[in-house]
Amino acid sequence: YHSSSCDSFEDFNPSTGEVIASFPLTTQGVVDQAVNVAHETFKSWRKMSRVQRADFFDRLAQLLKRDTDEITR
């Protein structure tokens, strides 16, 4: 799930003024939609076994490790 909004705001380190993060701005409607999608997805997630969930997170960790350089650009 993602928002199509391009606007964002930046968070600054108060002691240096350096930008430490950038966050997307969105509307309440987009937030509500994301929450609804998460709620619906949880219905199937909760039916998965611990082993299936562990496999899912293991695969996610492998992909994050593989694609770290691209993700952090």
Side-chain angles (χ1 to χ4, degrees):
Y1 183 83
H2 65 85
S3 169
S4 60
S5 174
C6 297
D7 295 332
S8 63
F9 69 95
E10 295 176 332
D11 189 21
F12 297 90
N13 178 330
S15 64
T16 66
E18 175 187 15
V19 174
I20 56 174
S22 179
F23 303 95
L25 293 174
T26 192
T27 64
Q28 185 64 48
V30 171
V31 171
D32 291 343
Q33 186 179 6
V35 169
N36 288 335
V37 167
H39 180 73
E40 289 300 313
T41 302
F42 181 71
K43 291 177 183 179
S44 62
W45 176 260
R46 69 189 298 206
K47 294 177 184 176
M48 293 173 69
S49 71
R50 298 185 293 207
V51 173
Q52 289 173 308
R53 291 181 195 184
D55 288 344
F56 175 85
F57 280 114
D58 184 52
R59 178 69 178 138
L60 176 61
Q62 291 173 19
L63 292 171
L64 288 171
K65 187 174 181 178
R66 183 192 73 191
D67 297 335
T68 297
D69 289 341
E70 186 164 337
I71 292 169
T72 58
R73 279 190 219 154

